[in-house]
Amino acid sequence: CICFALRNREKEIVSLYFRSILAPSLLERAGGEARHFYLKDRQGLYPKYPKANTKTLILTESIIDAATLIQYCILDSSHLSPFGGDTEGASQVSPLGGDLEGASVLACYGTNGLTEEHMEALKGLQNLEEIIFFFDGDASGRTSAQRYGEQLKQVLGCKVSTVDCPEGEDINSLLQGHAPEIFPHLIAERKELPFSFSAERIEKQETGEKPAPPKTVLPAKAKTNPYADNELITSHPDCLLYYRGNLNFTLWGGIDIYNINRLRTTLHIKLKENAYRSFRDNVDLYSHTQSERLIRQASEKLEISPGVLSEGITALTSALETYREQKREAKRAETSERREADRETFSEAEKQAAQRFLNDKKLNEHTHDIFGRIGLVGQQENGMLLFFIFLTRMFANPLHAIVMGSSGSGKTHLLQGVSQTVPRQHIHYTTSLSENTLYYTPKDFLKHKILLQEDLDGAYQALLPLRELMSNQSISRFSTRTNSRTGESKQIYLQVEGPVCIAGATTKEQVYEDNANRSFLIQIEDSPVQERAVLAYQGEVASGKINPQNYTRDLRLLKAAQLQLQPLEVLIPFAGLLELPPFVFKKLRTQAHYLTLVKAVTLWNQCNRKRVKGEDGTVFLLSEKEDVEWANRLSRESLLRKSDELSGKARHFFESLKEIQIKEEKGNTLFRSVEVRQRFRLHPMQLKRYLDELEQRNLICCKSRSRRFGNEYEILSWEDYRQLQSGLDVLEEVLRNIERESYKTQGYDLKK
């Protein structure tokens, strides 16, 4: 666009106008036909307010036309420039000559763009003798010039004339096909506008004297009505205007675009010949009773025929229906465009790079490196595990994840970091989620998507449907609706279908226990080593050592690679040998999660995995030993969490306590609560919860109680956690069994 400045009376820039420079074909390809753009709450005039001593003023239909006249037919060149600024001291001479020497120019904002600000500026011109309309050579331009000319004649009483612009041309197009000398020629040939009244006639009407017939005879083809009949003016959506014959309709507040079973509006009806005779009412134009009452009362008040008013109301209703359908279609197109804009697209070069990335034999290692480069310092394993969990959205039964940790430990950072590697069209973010919102979700809105709730506290009311959605990949409910007109109740069936992958973060492990049983539990480590690593990375980012372009490139690589994947089914030939640690709780459900994780690793490596066909032609990927190795590596800590009877926070506290007692207290089994609270800087109530949980599990016992020195406790179990960790050795034994049994994917027989 070309940008033009609009100025107030003090010559200050108060708004801007933009004119598109795209050709019509390119403009249509860009998604629209609009060529004129204004800032919101437009104010100011172009090129500026006319000087107080202006005698002749030329009004153009658009800003670009005014700029053309100023540039090529210098009007009052001592103070005007094409872009609205001052050019004091200019030495150019106006070529118009005669009585137009030093004429000023002022731009309207279209055929309906003579604003109140224009009128106020014109009323301040005490020496104004003539106004010249130089509008476009079409029907709307001539009609607008006639209408505004009549209005200005009444208000200002000066001479009003019009330039006969050639048919289909405007000021700007004339310059492209002719020499600039055409402008002074056309202006010199201007004609005074004919009117159906004069200022003298209006004065006689006010005094009651019978006016003389107008002296000016209208041409045979000229319209006596300055308004375009049957035209709905929608330039302001909250003030719709409609003209028909002698009636002016104003619809204050516009109409309801979305509710199509009624057409309710605040209607103001006036007579063109007498603006003081009017009628106002609220009416639903789709109601026969209300429409009949409106016609009867308005016709009596306005003293016109009910038949004329009925025809006007019918025509207005039809115009409003057309306008509403156009707005609804525009809204549908806007929604479709917004949906397409939300879809991430990638260039051919990015797609080729993603395919090469997927074909790499060391795909898992490179993926692990990327998660280290995008800011998940010390959390590469958790980040990669969460990435594979998100990848299961392509399966019929996806996995789910709950990230646990203390406040400020980096739970949300992990979720956000991994979610940024997912294409936007595959993930829905939500801060708060209610039960009704979930049930009234469009049926396929969540299908093969990720529902990310950064804090599960925001979904507390929807825990039950979320839990069922995790287990069954579908939720349903009956709801009752009452017809407001008949009073009848009707049962409706609400159903939302997956598959959907659900993820969230929380600091409250016990509150979400039922949901945690259906999810992978990812515990955030908040040790001093992890803290120092994160602080070092933040320092590198702040000092500019981390290139943000590389960060963006890595994210787009992972996104493009996911879009290249085919949603294939996965078979694990050696699934019968896979075994979980003996201490894992709810082993049946956890085993299914573990197998799905192996399949997710296989799906990510599909370009390097063998494929077989079933009897029905379905293509299956075959898992290999490497997939199990990575699944074991990534899920090790999560399986340990599911094996431990202590919560994650309590376990971290207990292991830290044992480490201090071994290193600093030389293996002393006794400790006092006051000393521990001071060392760990814990709130007394939080320390009490930890100690109570450990005491309930018979891991410690209270030897003596003292309010002054604090309770004294004794550690009863030192090896419980080491025993849990040793149970994970079964994962390594499984890998050895797979290799010992020589399971091969080549020649795998599905019939067996």
Side-chain angles (χ1 to χ4, degrees), residues 527-564:
S527 64
V529 176
Q530 168 69 12
E531 185 179 278
R532 286 193 295 270
V534 173
L535 292 175
Y537 178 81
Q538 292 176 348
E540 292 180 352
V541 172
S543 62
K545 295 181 180 179
I546 304 296
N547 190 343
Q549 294 181 351
N550 294 338
Y551 174 83
T552 303
R553 181 196 61 200
D554 289 335
L555 292 181
R556 290 187 63 82
L557 177 63
L558 289 179
K559 292 179 181 180
Q562 291 175 73
L563 295 178
Q564 298 290 99

Side-chain angles (χ1 to χ4, degrees), residues 462-491:
L463 288 183
L464 174 60
L466 281 178
R467 193 156 56 240
E468 294 305 312
L469 197 56
M470 288 177 176
S471 299
N472 304 322
Q473 294 302 313
S474 175
I475 55 174
S476 60
R477 187 177 74 176
F478 281 104
S479 181
T480 303
R481 285 186 181 175
T482 303
N483 191 318
S484 58
R485 290 175 293 180
T486 64
E488 296 180 355
S489 298
K490 182 177 66 173
Q491 293 290 330

Side-chain angles (χ1 to χ4, degrees), residues 146 193-197 215-225:
Q146 179 75 26
L193 277 174
F195 299 112
S196 58
F197 58 85
K215 298 179 180 179
T216 304
V217 180
L218 294 175
K221 295 184 180 180
K223 290 186 178 181
T224 58
N225 181 9

Side-chain angles (χ1 to χ4, degrees), residues 353-583:
Q355 193 60 53
R356 290 193 299 270
F357 180 70
L358 291 174
N359 291 332
D360 198 309
K361 297 293 184 181
K362 296 184 177 181
L363 175 61
N364 292 331
E365 288 81 355
H366 295 326
T367 306
H368 187 272
D369 294 340
I370 287 179
F371 279 102
R373 295 198 298 266
I374 64 175
L376 302 182
V377 180
Q379 297 292 337
Q380 293 96 320
E381 306 278 324
N382 288 335
M384 199 168 175
L385 172 60
L386 193 56
F387 176 78
F388 283 129
I389 292 174
F390 285 171
L391 201 62
T392 61
R393 66 186 181 275
M394 301 182 183
F395 294 157
N397 291 288
L399 296 175
H400 315 284
I402 295 182
V403 182
M404 296 181 172
S406 59
S407 179
S409 60
K411 305 181 303 301
T412 304
H413 178 69
L414 176 64
L415 275 175
Q416 291 178 344
V418 180
S419 66
Q420 289 177 359
T421 66
V422 179
R424 280 199 306 267
Q425 56 267 35
H426 289 179
I427 189 168
H428 296 303
Y429 297 89
T430 174
T431 302
S432 178
L433 186 65
S434 66
E435 184 178 6
N436 283 337
T437 301
L438 197 57
Y439 278 111
Y440 282 93
T441 299
K443 186 174 181 180
D444 297 332
F445 181 74
L446 298 176
K447 187 164 288 187
H448 296 295
K449 299 293 193 301
I450 300 167
L451 180 61
L452 185 61
Q453 180 82 35
E454 291 186 356
D455 194 331
L456 290 177
D457 288 349
Y460 188 79
Q461 297 178 348
L463 288 183
L464 174 60
L466 281 178
R467 193 156 56 240
E468 294 305 312
L469 197 56
M470 288 177 176
S471 299
N472 304 322
Q473 294 302 313
S474 175
I475 55 174
S476 60
R477 187 177 74 176
F478 281 104
S479 181
T480 303
R481 285 186 181 175
T482 303
N483 191 318
S484 58
R485 290 175 293 180
T486 64
E488 296 180 355
S489 298
K490 182 177 66 173
Q491 293 290 330
I492 60 172
Y493 183 68
L494 305 175
Q495 185 177 18
V496 179
E497 294 182 353
V500 57
C501 173
I502 300 174
T506 182
T507 59
K508 306 172 183 177
E509 301 179 39
Q510 302 301 327
V511 175
Y512 306 101
E513 183 177 358
D514 288 340
N515 294 69
N517 292 333
R518 294 164 171 80
S519 310
F520 265 90
L521 304 183
I522 301 177
Q523 187 73 37
I524 298 297
E525 182 184 0
D526 53 358
S527 64
V529 176
Q530 168 69 12
E531 185 179 278
R532 286 193 295 270
V534 173
L535 292 175
Y537 178 81
Q538 292 176 348
E540 292 180 352
V541 172
S543 62
K545 295 181 180 179
I546 304 296
N547 190 343
Q549 294 181 351
N550 294 338
Y551 174 83
T552 303
R553 181 196 61 200
D554 289 335
L555 292 181
R556 290 187 63 82
L557 177 63
L558 289 179
K559 292 179 181 180
Q562 291 175 73
L563 295 178
Q564 298 290 99
L565 293 178
Q566 300 177 20
L568 300 176
E569 295 290 336
V570 179
L571 295 177
I572 307 175
F574 36 79
L577 295 178
L578 298 182
E579 183 180 355
L580 291 180
F583 302 111

